[in-house]
Amino acid sequence: MIRTEPAFDGGEREQLGAFLDFLREAVVLKCAGLTDEQARRSLVPSELTTTAGLVGHLTYVEHHWFEVVLAGRPSRWDEKLAADRDADFREALTIPLADLVDAYRAQCAVSREIAAGMAPETLVSFRDGSINLRYVLIHMVEETGRHAGHLDLLRELTDGRTGE
């Protein structure tokens, strides 16, 4: 899999979506070829910072920001997170990596579909005010980029693989 480079001359919406997709593809690439055991291996002091845990978390945040916040759909995670604030990380440790990656890709497709129907400045109710798609896209570039960096480190510690 080769990541699709964002266009140098695209508009705001096109570039935000393209950079987010670029990072989403990086997440998938960092998982390629790992075994379930490798994906669950704790390699840093935080026991939840595993490849599997990060993919589970990123799947959750895609669901939360696009389906729950922007589309107003019910959260599938409220009860689990009320019982364990790290449920998205922990649950992922019990799921085969291939299934986690498939679920992540499917959730990203849902997110893209929701975003496609909105203008960047479209406001939706959020907390005590409102939020727009632009904020969510920028936040998800930051969130996905940060965790893709974690995955870079975990992959190098697992098998020495670096780069894209």
Side-chain angles (χ1 to χ4, degrees), residues 13 21 24 62 66-67 70-71 73 106-118 133:
R13 172 65 180 277
D21 281 340
R24 288 167 170 158
E62 288 277 347
F66 289 93
E67 284 196 71
L70 291 177
R73 297 176 188 165
Q107 189 62 59
C108 290
V110 171
S111 298
R112 271 188 224 92
E113 183 180 310
I114 290 166
M118 302 177 80
L133 173 63

Side-chain angles (χ1 to χ4, degrees), residues 22-93:
F22 183 79
L23 292 167
R24 288 167 170 158
E25 291 169 12
V27 168
V28 172
L29 277 170
K30 289 299 168 180
C31 296
L34 291 177
T35 66
D36 291 339
E37 186 277 326
Q38 288 172 317
R40 293 178 183 136
R41 196 178 293 161
S42 181
L43 300 168
V44 296
S46 170
E47 68 183 40
L48 297 175
T49 305
T50 65
T51 297
L54 289 167
V55 175
H57 173 69
L58 285 168
T59 303
Y60 160 71
V61 295
E62 288 277 347
H63 165 71
H64 175 76
W65 286 103
F66 289 93
E67 284 196 71
V68 177
V69 172
L70 291 177
R73 297 176 188 165
S75 175
R76 298 186 299 268
W77 283 92
D78 284 349
E79 288 183 34
K80 292 177 188 179
L81 291 172
D84 175 4
R85 64 182 218 129
D86 294 317
D88 50 334
F89 288 92
R90 282 187 221 288
E91 186 174 288
L93 298 175

Side-chain angles (χ1 to χ4, degrees), residues 3 5 7-8 14 23 42 45 77 80 103 129 134 150 157-158:
R3 293 189 295 175
E5 294 280 343
F8 293 122
E14 177 187 6
L23 292 167
S42 181
W77 283 92
K80 292 177 188 179
R134 180 182 293 108
H150 293 137
L157 290 171
T158 298

